[in-house]
Amino acid sequence: MTAPETLPALHGTATVALPADRAFALFTGSMARWWPASHHIGESEMADLVIEPRVGGRWYEVGTDGAECDWGHVLVWEPPGRLVLTWQIDGRWTYDPDRASEVEIRFTQDAPEQTTVTLEHRLLERLTDGRSLSDEISAGDGGWNGVLARFAGWTAGRADAADRTPAAG
């Protein structure tokens, strides 16, 4: 009997010209505005991507037809520094409620108007076809670095932009 394959964690990093509290709020409260529109699992086009701002909250997309597709849940909600989500999308790009990897995002304020956002996607071996998922994320659009680069580009000039994040602890 062979031991299950352990997959290396995937990483991403970007720097945004915002204080950490604004970076966290825009990342979590406006995800559909900067997330690649082609990266969704619903049958219809993605209209929204929501992270409920609390431990146990849902992470899900809303399609243009109103259908909701779960992606995972909030494990850690520590604004403005840390967010941990379950990623329950397998290598076939379907939601699996019984298996989860983890995505941890850290917001480190380097200066009054500069924050480094780092992301680690780990425990991919827990997912069905985790190797395939890891390979596809790594190969597509720059992997997590590409996704975070989109976030950094979108945030440029949005220090005072409104977002939908309600105050939550």
Side-chain angles (χ1 to χ4, degrees):
M1 184 171 181
T2 59
E5 178 184 23
T6 300
L7 297 172
L10 303 175
H11 296 90
T13 301
T15 300
V16 296
L18 297 169
D21 61 337
R22 292 298 303 144
F24 187 95
L26 291 172
F27 186 96
T28 59
S30 302
M31 201 168 212
R33 295 181 184 172
W34 58 266
W35 186 266
S38 61
H39 294 25
H40 69 93
I41 60 172
E43 291 188 21
S44 66
E45 295 299 314
M46 185 171 62
D48 203 357
L49 186 54
V50 179
I51 299 173
E52 295 177 339
R54 59 182 167 76
V55 171
R58 293 172 57 212
W59 181 23
Y60 62 98
E61 72 176 74
V62 180
T64 54
D65 62 358
E68 296 180 357
C69 295
D70 286 322
W71 287 24
H73 292 89
V74 177
L75 295 176
V76 176
W77 180 266
E78 295 175 351
R82 185 170 172 242
L83 173 69
V84 181
L85 305 164
T86 61
W87 173 285
Q88 295 177 257
I89 301 170
D90 65 23
R92 297 176 216 144
W93 297 98
T94 58
Y95 175 73
D96 183 345
D98 298 323
R99 297 173 182 249
S101 59
E102 294 179 358
V103 178
E104 179 170 357
I105 306 100
R106 291 188 175 266
F107 301 82
T108 304
Q109 188 162 321
D110 304 315
E113 296 295 328
Q114 180 176 309
T115 298
T116 298
V117 182
T118 57
L119 182 148
E120 179 181 78
H121 188 171
R122 59 185 176 239
L123 305 172
L124 290 145
E125 64 276 6
R126 289 181 175 175
L127 301 171
T128 301
D129 294 332
R131 164 64 72 192
S132 174
L133 180 75
S134 176
D135 291 347
E136 286 192 48
I137 289 173
S138 297
D141 298 334
W144 282 114
N145 278 327
V147 171
L148 292 180
R150 286 183 59 93
F151 174 63
W154 180 80
T155 63
R158 295 188 188 269
D160 298 323
D163 63 74
R164 300 171 300 166
T165 304

